[in-house]
Amino acid sequence: MTEDQRYDVVVVGAGVNGALVAKCLTGRKLRVLLLEAGPAAAWTFDGYVKRLDDFYGVYAKGPEAPWPAAVGAPQPDTHDVRTGGGYFVQKGPHKYASSYTRYAGGSTLHWLGVALRMLPEDFSLHSRYGRGRDWPLGYADLEPYYRKAERELGVAADVADQAHLGVEFAPGYDYPMRRIPPSYSDQMLAATVDGMRLSLGSEEFALKIRSYPAARNGIPRGDFVPDGAVDERTDGQALGRDIGQRCQGNTACTPICPVQAKYNALKTLAKADHRYLHLVTQAVASRINVDPASGAVQSVEYKRYTEADSPRHTVHRATGRVYVLAAHAVENAKLMLASGLGNRSGELGRNLMDHPCLYAWGLMPSPAGAYRGPLSTAGLDDLRGGAFRARHAAFRFDIGNDGWHSTTGAPDSTVADAVYTRNLFGKQLRRHLGSNLSRQIRFSLAVEQLPSADNRVTVDPQYLDPLGNPRPVLSYRIEEYTLDGMAAAAEVARKVFERAGITDCTNPDEGTWFPSVEHGDEVFHYHGMGHFAGTHVMGDSPETSVTDPDQRSWEHRNLYVLGSGSFPTMGTSNPTLTMAALTLRTADRLVAELAS
Amino acid sequence: MSTGVVSTARLKALLQAGVELELSTIPPYLCALYSLRPMTNAEASLVIRSVVVEEMLHMVLAANVLNAIGGEPHVADGHAPRYPHELPTGVVLHLLPFSREAVDTFLKVENPAHPHRALEADHPLLAGRNHQRHRARCLDVDEGFHPASIGDFYHEVIRELEAAAADIGERTLFCGDPTRQVTRDYYYAAGGRSILVGDLDSARAALNEIVEQGEGDMGAMFDDDGDLAHYYRFQQLRDGRSYRRSDDAGAPTGPPVEVDYDAVYPMIANPRSEEYRVPGLQAAAAGANRTWSELLLQLDAAFNGRPAALLPAVHSMFKLRDQSLVLLANPMPDHPGRNAGPTFEWDPSARAELGMRL
């Protein structure tokens, strides 16, 4: 085993949380070792373009297509959900249908870029509605860090659109960039849907098609300078940085923005002070060693591989004053469980959540310009909050600009249907495709899920990866609260379609395969949103939580565990902005502690 | 007695010539860029792209200075460049596919210290009937002024600005409407930022930016950020070898730079749409010229009080690329071994149609 020199902080994971903490700490001249399990393929523009070329070349353009796993750092793959194979060991009863990416940059390499704040009521779900848990923090505690996170990630939005459902902004504040212009279909939908009234139980709601905040480059406000592509070449030949300073509407945000106009964590990492940062990629943290008497972490062991296609590796040990796990909700929990860390509350690995998501798709009454613009620019989020949350889950709709691509594999499947089923050719075929493709519209119905002790990550010595590290064993059930939310969401989608004159074509049997769950007479086909959360929940007491409100382990005081795994509940916002805000808050505390 | 009227008239003519000069360098770079076959010549593509966006910035900066003194920068109609095109340096710009010849020309364009040499007496441009329309306007602003280089041209503009400010006062000289300036809201990603011009200092800054970006300090290969100057990046393409930091200019010793001159669509030199005999090529060329003309009209609008016209201009750029690729990918039946290409000709009918929408 090779001993590394001692650092101020050893950080595990170079995704958004690891990058943010590395940038904050090195900015204060603290020496950081950053261990990343995966490769650093996108660290230079050349490297990124190679990933892009590979993506163009493959037929199946799933979220993982440009980001194949290294043997030493396997990752879940959405195709595996169907086959039951792959990295996750799924114990059921339902399939956990999301994936993540083990690369420097993490899953921000293929996220959509939605950067919503959580609602104030999301932080106190239990005291307000008797459901889930309360956070040990409130919206007001995080608000300043939301502002910081919006600047770090480069979020484009207008406060005028976002100040609703109790979300308040500091006086005079607006987002660093103006909102991304609404797509043509957003505008068409707004013309018919805005002002539509509907009720959930006894509550009345008025709907509005609303742009949502996106970590995607638009027109800057004030002195903000949008970050273009990452190009960390040191030979004076970096030319990629000029690219991607504005979104070009390539409609390929996931799995890979061709120009990096969308935020990825490497943009943050590139701005860390490299004099104090030691980034080691292809280095898989495999064990946390603890002093049995004090509980203090003494070192992190990691396995380093040089070839992405081979399990051959060497073992190293890194030491620091403080240790930070920022490896992903599942990987953090897995590493802590595999290292036998303290688990007084019994909550470690439990409360695994996602936003199980249904699709609704149809044809707009007239051409709506599908397949243009970012994958999604607006949504319906009026039903993210309300008293109905005492009874069933809240939900949020994304409105797609990519036709039926995600639901049926269009446009290819639309062409195949026209040729093989409808026997169209020549002018008729062109007319059919011209009319059909541009009218395609898709809603994603993302539904809230509550923390549950039975939904969990565990490790089992009989399931190991090629490096001998444990594979995550998942138990996952979608409970009544969420199923009732799915039913309500599907009903609202039907009403909105009707109001907008959309011909409902939702038919999971003809769509792309997704796992299903039964609810009474109904069968819901759902997919994951990649919103893993809840595996190392934060709280006010070591009896009921894994970390304190600063994401500091109750039982190992020089260990911080970052990310959406700390979330007690997740509401309906995608977790990235909130975990970035939490990380920036923790980084402030770390700097204060280490400076003293 | 003040000579203000006279001196700003010449200044405006000089700056308008500057706008056209920068515009004229763009199509040759675009031809080389679009002629690269997809997924090949990654390095050449990056270098050419980075230069062409700088030329666009230079055009915006020259337009901002002209607007600042109450002028009206124009790029459409008779201001659109024609190829071959003679620059003040004596360099003649051709529309060429990516090739050794094109790289040699770019090296001359990127080196404004390139000494002026009059065209040889037998140069075909001189024999043509319309030589006047194929040369940079800055050669003809007035009879007594013959800039020896592009840097020389802009230094003359700066001297003239200083003289005019001393003559009629800086306030009077910079009488332009500030809302006509193109700001970074609409101009971005060009290895530099748009500079708002409202006085002598900002005008100097804008024009010096043009000269420095083009010219660089020919002594220093790497700039303050540690980036290699464009001139040397073209040298790397020419020599097929990259520079190390310790290398002397002209003698790169780093790893090889891969350049594949065969992975290029073999476009004919200086194509003209009237040469296209096949209906398909005629239609494609007409479409590309229409888009080019729309783009110029959008730029013209952006320089004349509607900077937001740069937003749809981005779409026009993509459209122009796609239409150019259609031409580039198609052989010309009457020129064996050669393909068609974008002709960058002004389409007079574009104004009537787009004018309504702009």
Side-chain angles (χ1 to χ4, degrees):
Chain A
M1 184 170 318
T2 320
E3 297 275 345
D4 280 342
Q5 49 187 325
R6 197 179 161 92
Y7 293 86
D8 289 311
V9 184
V10 176
V11 181
V12 177
V16 60
N17 296 301
L20 285 169
V21 87
K23 178 175 174 249
C24 294
L25 296 174
T26 59
R28 302 299 285 268
K29 299 187 166 53
L30 292 164
R31 294 169 59 248
V32 172
L33 172 67
L34 179 53
L35 300 173
E36 166 53 46
W43 196 227
T44 62
F45 189 74
D46 284 353
Y48 192 86
V49 168
K50 285 196 183 72
R51 301 284 94 238
L52 193 59
D53 285 354
D54 281 0
F55 168 66
Y56 289 149
V58 297
Y59 176 72
K61 301 201 189 302
E64 299 82 12
W67 315 106
V71 167
Q75 63 196 16
D77 186 301
T78 43
H79 296 292
D80 296 333
V81 177
R82 182 171 197 173
T83 61
Y87 181 50
F88 283 161
V89 180
Q90 300 237 19
K91 294 286 190 189
H94 299 133
K95 302 270 195 187
Y96 192 93
S98 283
S99 65
Y100 53 89
T101 297
R102 295 176 84 187
Y103 267 72
S107 303
T108 56
L109 291 170
H110 66 68
W111 71 316
L112 182 56
V114 176
L116 286 161
R117 295 182 176 197
M118 283 175 60
L119 306 182
E121 67 177 55
D122 290 336
F123 292 88
S124 50
L125 203 63
H126 189 262
S127 36
R128 275 170 177 261
Y129 303 124
R131 294 288 190 166
R133 291 167 165 253
D134 282 355
W135 282 53
L137 302 168
Y139 178 83
D141 298 314
L142 268 194
E143 205 282 335
Y145 294 101
Y146 270 135
R147 274 181 272 147
K148 271 192 173 179
E150 282 155 359
R151 199 167 172 92
E152 286 290 343
L153 270 57
V155 179
D158 294 352
V159 159
D161 289 332
Q162 306 304 328
H164 78 135
L165 292 168
V167 175
E168 288 177 357
F169 294 84
Y173 175 80
D174 213 329
Y175 286 86
M177 292 178 281
R178 292 192 226 162
R179 73 173 182 180
I180 301 295
S183 70
Y184 184 60
S185 60
D186 294 342
Q187 297 171 45
M188 280 181 74
L189 282 169
T192 50
V193 174
D194 281 6
M196 172 180 173
R197 305 194 80 80
L198 59 81
S199 48
L200 287 180
S202 56
E203 278 174 288
E204 278 260 330
F205 293 89
L207 300 188
K208 178 175 162 57
I209 306 291
R210 202 178 292 273
S211 286
Y212 52 62
R216 181 175 282 112
N217 288 335
I219 296 178
R221 286 191 167 97
D223 61 353
F224 184 78
V225 180
D227 287 319
V230 173
D231 198 2
E232 289 304 299
R233 281 171 68 156
T234 53
D235 58 358
Q237 312 264 340
L239 276 184
R241 292 174 196 145
D242 279 352
I243 295 172
Q245 293 178 12
R246 296 288 195 283
C247 173
Q248 302 176 345
N250 280 296
T251 327
C253 316
T254 65
I256 181 166
C257 171
V259 296
Q260 298 182 52
K262 183 183 46 136
Y263 173 81
N264 70 62
L266 295 175
K267 295 190 183 193
T268 296
L269 202 53
K271 290 190 284 187
D273 189 332
H274 289 240
R275 291 170 301 175
Y276 300 98
L277 175 66
H278 185 195
L279 169 66
V280 183
T281 57
Q282 308 192 164
V284 189
S286 51
R287 187 173 177 82
I288 300 165
N289 294 312
V290 173
D291 178 345
S294 68
V297 173
Q298 293 176 310
S299 64
V300 171
E301 275 175 34
Y302 63 95
K303 296 175 178 170
R304 199 159 178 210
Y305 57 94
T306 48
E307 294 131 10
D309 56 359
S310 161
R312 198 184 309 159
H313 65 272
T314 49
V315 182
H316 307 251
R317 184 187 291 153
T319 55
R321 293 158 68 193
V322 166
Y323 299 81
V324 173
L325 300 186
H328 186 267
V330 167
E331 297 296 325
N332 282 351
K334 189 192 90 176
L335 181 57
M336 291 167 80
L337 288 165
S339 307
L341 293 201
N343 189 10
R344 195 160 114 197
S345 66
E347 297 288 343
L348 183 56
R350 297 188 188 272
N351 308 306
L352 175 66
M353 295 175 273
D354 193 0
H355 289 131
C357 181
L358 312 180
Y359 280 135
W361 63 97
L363 287 174
M364 294 278 277
S366 54
Y371 300 97
R372 285 186 179 84
L375 283 179
S376 178
T377 35
L380 271 174
D381 63 355
D382 299 299
L383 303 170
R384 292 176 61 202
F388 66 87
R389 296 175 82 182
R391 302 187 305 279
H392 64 73
F395 46 91
R396 177 172 74 81
F397 295 178
D398 281 350
I399 300 165
N401 294 322
D402 58 341
W404 295 352
H405 180 69
S406 9
T407 60
T408 70
D412 311 28
S413 58
T414 310
V415 177
D417 167 70
V419 173
Y420 296 119
T421 313
R422 298 167 194 259
N423 294 314
L424 298 176
F425 58 90
K427 274 186 185 162
Q428 270 190 312
L429 174 63
R430 283 207 297 279
R431 203 178 305 129
H432 173 80
L433 293 177
S435 150
N436 194 293
L437 288 171
S438 71
R439 291 193 293 135
Q440 293 181 350
I441 189 92
R442 175 265 304 177
F443 287 5
S444 288
L445 287 44
V447 184
E448 178 185 21
Q449 185 168 32
L450 295 180
S452 160
D454 296 336
N455 287 351
R456 62 189 297 203
V457 181
T458 54
V459 293
D460 180 335
Q462 67 171 306
Y463 301 115
L464 300 178
D465 74 12
L467 286 198
N469 293 320
R471 290 163 53 199
V473 179
L474 304 187
S475 304
Y476 183 67
R477 176 198 298 277
I478 300 176
E479 294 175 329
E480 286 301 304
Y481 183 81
T482 298
L483 294 172
D484 289 341
M486 286 179 171
E491 179 60 22
V492 170
R494 279 190 287 273
K495 287 180 178 160
V496 172
F497 273 18
E498 199 181 311
R499 165 87 169 212
I502 295 169
T503 309
D504 196 343
C505 304
T506 310
N507 181 359
D509 293 337
E510 285 186 6
T512 311
W513 182 89
F514 291 109
S516 57
V517 54
E518 288 178 16
H519 179 48
D521 298 338
E522 278 189 285
V523 178
F524 295 121
H525 295 259
Y526 67 95
H527 64 280
M529 291 285 274
H531 301 168
F532 296 76
T535 51
H536 42 82
V537 59
M538 61 157 70
D540 284 325
S541 153
E543 306 303 325
T544 56
S545 56
V546 178
T547 79
D548 72 10
D550 296 341
Q551 302 188 89
R552 185 177 192 173
S553 161
W554 287 116
E555 285 154 278
H556 310 283
R557 296 305 280 168
N558 65 340
L559 176 68
Y560 290 77
V561 195
L562 309 186
S564 47
S566 303
F567 292 10
T569 59
M570 189 163 48
T572 45
S573 59
N574 60 324
T576 304
L577 186 76
T578 299
M579 66 190 191
L582 278 178
T583 290
L584 291 168
R585 184 176 177 276
T586 297
D588 269 6
R589 279 150 176 76
L590 261 172
V591 166
E593 184 197 322
L594 289 168
S596 64
Chain B
M1 193 184 76
S2 166
T3 54
V5 178
V6 177
S7 51
T8 54
R10 178 166 188 266
L11 251 179
K12 285 173 186 167
L14 284 170
L15 283 162
Q16 171 61 35
V19 170
E20 290 180 36
L21 172 68
E22 301 303 338
L23 173 65
S24 70
T25 62
I26 292 170
Y29 283 123
L30 292 182
C31 279
L33 182 62
Y34 297 156
S35 72
L36 302 171
R37 287 183 185 267
M39 313 273 180
T40 69
N41 283 308
E43 172 68 10
S45 168
L46 260 183
V47 176
I48 298 170
R49 183 196 173 280
S50 70
V51 175
V52 74
V53 294
E54 282 197 351
E55 303 297 354
M56 294 174 187
L57 174 66
H58 298 167
M59 178 172 64
V60 167
L61 291 173
N64 275 356
V65 178
L66 179 50
N67 264 319
I69 62 166
E72 293 179 2
H74 287 294
V75 291
D77 302 293
H79 304 283
R82 290 164 186 254
Y83 298 92
H85 190 89
E86 182 189 351
L87 294 181
T89 43
V91 175
V92 177
L93 293 173
H94 298 276
L95 300 180
L96 297 174
F98 180 69
S99 55
R100 286 186 176 81
E101 191 188 349
V103 172
D104 281 341
T105 307
F106 298 154
L107 276 164
K108 288 175 191 159
V109 175
E110 287 301 304
N111 177 4
H114 182 80
H116 174 259
R117 228 179 19 226
L119 296 185
E120 303 278 337
D122 59 349
H123 195 284
L125 261 186
L126 294 178
R129 279 175 297 130
N130 294 321
H131 176 216
Q132 226 37 37
R133 295 168 71 174
H134 286 261
R135 57 191 242 140
R137 201 169 289 250
C138 50
L139 285 162
D140 301 314
V141 170
D142 55 47
E143 283 191 15
F145 176 48
H146 301 290
S149 70
I150 292 173
D152 209 30
F153 169 76
Y154 283 111
H155 289 133
E156 170 73 6
V157 179
I158 293 173
R159 273 194 301 275
E160 191 84 349
L161 280 168
E162 287 165 347
D167 189 7
I168 60 173
E170 195 172 340
R171 278 262 184 90
T172 315
L173 175 62
F174 290 96
C175 60
D177 176 355
T179 65
R180 291 168 62 91
Q181 297 285 308
V182 174
T183 66
R184 68 188 194 99
D185 282 5
Y186 301 106
Y187 193 80
Y188 55 92
R193 285 209 231 166
S194 179
I195 296 171
L196 299 189
V197 180
D199 56 19
L200 203 49
D201 279 346
S202 50
R204 266 197 218 105
L207 298 175
N208 281 327
E209 177 80 7
I210 300 178
V211 177
E212 278 166 21
Q213 269 199 351
E215 201 160 337
D217 175 356
M218 297 305 286
M221 293 162 57
F222 292 91
D223 68 11
D224 296 343
D225 299 331
D227 292 337
L228 186 63
H230 285 135
Y231 180 76
Y232 298 100
R233 302 215 46 156
F234 279 121
Q235 272 196 0
Q236 292 188 149
L237 293 182
R238 184 191 64 192
D239 299 344
R241 188 158 294 282
S242 61
Y243 275 107
R244 293 180 208 274
R245 285 184 186 266
S246 52
D247 286 345
D248 292 328
T253 66
V257 170
E258 279 186 39
V259 180
D260 185 354
Y261 289 108
D262 293 328
V264 171
Y265 295 114
M267 176 186 121
I268 60 162
N270 299 312
R272 299 177 57 183
S273 51
E274 65 184 25
E275 294 175 289
Y276 295 147
R277 310 273 179 219
V278 189
L281 290 180
Q282 287 169 349
N289 283 333
R290 167 56 65 96
T291 304
W292 167 241
S293 303
E294 285 181 0
L295 176 62
L296 293 177
L297 286 166
Q298 286 159 335
L299 292 173
D300 212 277
F303 297 155
N304 284 279
R306 282 173 291 175
L310 285 180
L311 293 179
V314 173
H315 178 238
S316 299
M317 283 294 306
F318 280 111
K319 200 166 147 191
L320 180 62
R321 178 196 64 186
D322 293 347
Q323 290 171 318
S324 298
L325 284 173
V326 170
L327 286 160
L328 284 159
N330 274 286
M332 289 180 70
D334 36 3
H335 288 77
R338 287 285 164 187
N339 283 17
T343 60
F344 291 97
E345 292 160 298
W346 170 253
D347 175 353
S349 65
R351 180 176 281 283
E353 221 170 277
L354 191 76
M356 310 278 284
R357 282 186 275 139
L358 265 173

